[in-house]
């Protein structure tokens, strides 16, 4: 039986960076025959950005967890021990993004409601596991984790299923 679960939080870079990295990767592939070293450099930088993500790995057997960042599919972080897991809980937060137009000084502000899933240990320490815009998507993912860890999921949001 597998005693580890890997919960991928998400990319370390926003989507515009990943899009540019993908374009640079394609450009690097196109230049491979003419400018080999430049091409390899471009592809390494692009792969670094595309492969960058973060997450949490929990090992039930060793009672430890690893909050990690991963580049080139190699995880790095400090493994920490825990005595017991109390619960998984969900909270809501508002995020604001301000976008400016390219040629004028006008801006638009967008507010979003996001749902966050946290893991709480018996010593009171909390770590964030996941974040989603749809509460139903978050709950679906957290129920898998809760079943694996044999803990309950507590909903601390006042907002309905969105």
């Amino acid at each position: 039986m597998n005693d580890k679960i890997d919960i991928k939080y998400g990319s370390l870079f926003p989507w515009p960076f990943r899009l540019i990295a993908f374009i640079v990767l394609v450009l690097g592939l196109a230049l491979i025959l003419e400018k080999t070293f430049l091409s390899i450099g471009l592809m390494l930088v692009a792969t670094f950005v595309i492969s960058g993500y973060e997450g949490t790995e929990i090992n039930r057997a060793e009672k430890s967890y690893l909050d990690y960042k991963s580049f080139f599919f190699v995880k790095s972080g400090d493994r920490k021990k825990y005595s017991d897991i109390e619960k998984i809980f969900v909270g809501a937060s508002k995020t604001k993004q301000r976008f400016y137009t390219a040629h004028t000084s006008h801006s638009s502000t967008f507010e979003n409601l996001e749902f966050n899933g946290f893991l709480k240990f018996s010593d009171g320490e909390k770590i964030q596991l996941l974040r989603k815009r749809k509460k139903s998507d978050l709950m679906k993912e957290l129920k898998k984790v809760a079943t694996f860890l044999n803990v309950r999921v507590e909903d601390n949001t006042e907002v309905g299923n969105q």
Side-chain angles (χ1 to χ4, degrees):
M1 190 163 106
N2 193 1
D3 284 328
K4 287 185 183 180
I5 188 168
D6 188 5
I7 306 147
K8 290 182 174 70
Y9 183 75
S11 178
L12 287 170
F13 298 97
W15 70 266
F17 281 47
R18 293 192 316 264
L19 177 64
I20 291 168
F22 181 75
I23 293 168
V24 169
L25 181 66
V26 171
L27 179 67
L29 286 170
L31 293 173
I32 194 82
L33 294 176
E34 294 178 24
K35 309 248 182 203
T36 307
F37 291 113
L38 175 65
S39 173
I40 291 171
L42 289 173
M43 289 190 301
L44 282 173
V45 169
T47 306
F48 179 82
V49 172
I50 291 169
S51 70
Y53 68 94
E54 61 186 327
T56 305
E57 184 180 271
I58 302 170
N59 187 327
R60 283 188 307 202
E62 296 178 4
K63 287 197 166 201
S64 66
Y65 71 94
L66 173 68
D67 242 351
Y68 65 84
K69 294 188 180 356
S70 174
F71 295 100
F72 298 113
F73 310 104
V74 177
K75 297 174 187 173
S76 64
D78 294 329
R79 189 165 296 281
K80 296 179 183 174
K81 295 277 189 182
Y82 65 86
S83 58
D84 204 16
I85 297 173
E86 186 178 318
K87 65 182 174 181
I88 294 174
F89 67 95
V90 177
S93 63
K94 285 185 180 178
T95 59
K96 285 185 180 182
Q97 289 181 310
R98 180 171 285 171
F99 292 101
Y100 293 92
T101 56
H103 301 291
T104 65
S105 61
H106 293 64
S107 68
S108 297
T109 302
F110 297 94
E111 285 189 22
N112 293 308
L113 185 63
E114 291 186 336
F115 296 94
N116 305 293
F118 296 90
L119 183 68
K120 184 176 180 184
F121 297 101
S122 58
D123 64 358
E125 184 180 358
K126 300 172 203 131
I127 58 170
Q128 187 168 7
L129 293 177
L130 293 169
R131 176 179 63 214
K132 302 268 184 194
R133 288 210 175 150
K134 286 181 136 185
K135 185 177 172 182
S136 58
D137 292 347
L138 179 68
M139 293 303 279
K140 183 178 168 184
E141 293 292 320
L142 289 178
K143 284 182 182 173
K144 293 177 193 173
V145 177
T147 301
F148 176 80
L149 297 172
N150 197 25
V151 294
R152 62 186 160 84
V153 178
E154 184 177 289
D155 187 357
N156 294 338
T157 62
E158 296 177 12
V159 180
N161 197 358
Q162 296 184 358

